[in-house]
Amino acid sequence: MDMLGEKIFEQCPNCKQSLQGDIYYDMTKAQLTFIEREFKGVDDWHLGALMKRIMVLDGKKDADRIEGEEICAKMLKLIDDMNMKKNCLPSDIMVLASIYQGIGKFNVTVGTKRSVQKAMHYLKQGRDIVEASGDRELLSLVDSIENTIALVEEMITGACSQNRA
């Protein structure tokens, strides 16, 4: 998603290198705060900032888990508010599936049985939306989601077989 001033939050102004690690983590928070404060009602920018933020959160850390759950709720509300589920354009389908994938990946990082089940639910929802669209150009997104689903299934079956041992 292209946003106003996006590079300010992702790139060093001097050397133009991409920000990484703790600096990128902090800048995703700053970008989200900025968008929420200065651009209320610009839902696509808000979704973009939420997606970037959720991708850097570690669900095993309490503060990140709490923030991630809040971000998931905000993204799901924005989807409903934007009415994205009806009459979607291919770009909307990609955004919607990416949001569900982001929510799924975050839930994987939380690592609890319940969160892994939630991850599976959202990943499958994203995959199903793309498959239902029949858009061949989005097949790489389906592959990406399927790979994540396979990893989650391994986590689930691995946990089950460890519990039996």
Side-chain angles (χ1 to χ4, degrees):
M1 290 185 190
D2 192 20
M3 291 183 226
L4 175 71
E6 187 174 73
K7 296 219 184 285
I8 294 168
F9 297 99
E10 294 183 1
Q11 198 176 76
C12 173
N14 298 319
C15 68
K16 307 297 183 215
Q17 288 187 6
S18 295
L19 301 176
Q20 298 176 13
D22 290 343
I23 295 172
Y24 184 70
Y25 177 91
D26 292 341
M27 291 304 282
T28 60
K29 177 84 168 181
Q31 181 181 27
L32 179 56
T33 300
F34 175 72
I35 295 292
E36 288 180 336
R37 185 183 65 230
E38 300 296 328
F39 294 96
K40 289 181 179 156
V42 185
D43 293 340
D44 53 341
W45 288 4
H46 193 197
L47 276 172
L50 290 166
M51 280 295 294
K52 286 180 184 172
R53 183 64 182 159
I54 202 165
M55 297 309 284
V56 300
L57 297 177
D58 180 356
K60 292 196 183 342
K61 297 178 182 175
D62 285 342
D64 280 5
R65 181 186 47 74
I66 291 166
E67 183 181 356
E69 289 170 353
E70 291 170 0
I71 287 174
C72 289
K74 286 179 182 180
M75 288 193 294
L76 292 170
K77 182 173 180 348
L78 279 170
I79 289 169
D80 286 341
D81 290 350
M82 294 171 72
N83 210 10
M84 290 182 78
K85 295 177 183 173
K86 297 176 185 168
N87 304 321
C88 287
L89 299 170
S91 60
D92 293 334
I93 292 167
M94 189 171 87
V95 168
L96 190 56
S98 295
I99 289 167
Y100 287 131
Q101 185 179 26
I103 292 171
K105 284 182 174 183
F106 168 73
N107 278 288
V108 168
T109 71
V110 174
T112 65
K113 181 179 178 182
R114 183 172 179 265
S115 69
V116 172
Q117 290 170 341
K118 282 172 64 175
M120 185 65 81
H121 167 78
Y122 286 112
L123 290 166
K124 286 181 177 179
Q125 201 167 355
R127 179 203 57 203
D128 294 348
I129 287 167
V130 176
E131 286 180 343
S133 76
D135 191 328
R136 292 178 182 252
E137 292 181 22
L138 298 176
L139 290 179
S140 63
L141 183 56
V142 171
D143 291 342
S144 173
I145 295 171
E146 285 287 351
N147 289 338
T148 307
I149 288 172
L151 292 172
V152 173
E153 285 174 341
E154 284 179 26
M155 289 176 70
I156 292 170
T157 58
C160 289
S161 63
Q162 286 178 355
N163 288 340
R164 288 186 207 136

